[in-house]
Amino acid sequence: MVYISKKPVLTGTSYEEVLAIARKEYKKIENLTKRQPYIRSQYFSRDKIFLSIFWTHLMQKDRKVRVKRLELFNAAIDLMRNTREAPETIFKKDDLSVMLHRFYGVTRDGVEFCVQVKQDKRSGRKDFMSVFDRKRP
């Protein structure tokens, strides 16, 4: 199943505009806690999903790819908070203690996307890794 997000794609004519809008939304979440920013997920029984790794992962990408991923930031947050749909779970071959969960969704304006959450099996920690345009498999 696919989660239908209530959020549209972020609009902007340049990387700086889209980044400013996404950072503004991130700051709202960041200001709710004194430590690492996180959101609570319905699927993971209200467990925390930490957001800080997303920004370091994003900055490793090409500028054009960053814009595409930042446009989907609000929809990704909405999906992680509210979805109850089971994700596609992948186990890393090189590190068996890490699981990758891929959640699929559609924005309010019809763009299909995928959200990737990394989970450490030993500690149970979940981190928001990435969001990208994706057609369902």
Side-chain angles (χ1 to χ4, degrees):
M1 285 296 288
V2 175
Y3 177 76
I4 300 169
S5 176
K6 296 171 185 71
K7 304 286 182 175
V9 172
L10 295 179
T11 56
T13 57
S14 69
Y15 169 70
E16 287 77 18
E17 287 180 16
V18 176
L19 179 64
I21 296 168
R23 278 286 186 187
K24 186 177 176 184
E25 293 300 318
Y26 178 72
K27 284 288 185 191
K28 287 179 188 175
I29 297 167
E30 190 177 42
N31 289 336
L32 297 175
T33 181
K34 293 180 181 177
R35 294 185 177 91
Q36 291 187 16
Y38 65 88
I39 56 172
R40 295 214 178 250
S41 171
Q42 291 292 322
Y43 177 77
F44 293 114
S45 303
R46 305 280 299 148
D47 276 354
K48 296 176 183 177
I49 298 177
F50 294 96
L51 305 176
S52 55
I53 289 181
F54 170 74
W55 296 103
T56 55
H57 178 74
L58 182 72
M59 293 306 154
Q60 296 170 355
K61 303 295 179 192
D62 183 39
R63 191 176 177 100
K64 188 176 179 181
V65 174
R66 282 187 225 164
V67 172
K68 287 286 189 189
R69 292 181 182 206
L70 283 171
E71 287 175 346
L72 296 168
F73 183 74
N74 278 357
I77 297 296
D78 182 44
L79 181 144
M80 287 186 294
R81 277 185 176 149
N82 300 315
T83 192
R84 293 181 184 271
E85 306 296 335
E88 175 184 321
T89 302
I90 302 164
F91 293 92
K92 284 190 140 189
K93 291 183 174 86
D94 56 336
D95 188 4
L96 294 176
S97 67
V98 174
M99 292 188 299
L100 294 174
H101 301 286
R102 287 190 178 159
F103 294 92
Y104 294 96
V106 178
T107 63
R108 190 171 70 190
D109 22 19
V111 177
E112 292 186 12
F113 65 98
C114 177
V115 172
Q116 193 163 286
V117 176
K118 179 178 89 170
Q119 180 179 4
D120 186 335
K121 283 175 42 178
R122 290 187 191 121
S123 65
R125 180 184 167 105
K126 296 163 196 71
D127 292 293
F128 171 41
M129 288 293 293
S130 190
V131 58
F132 44 89
D133 282 355
R134 198 60 176 215
K135 299 294 181 204
R136 281 193 337 160

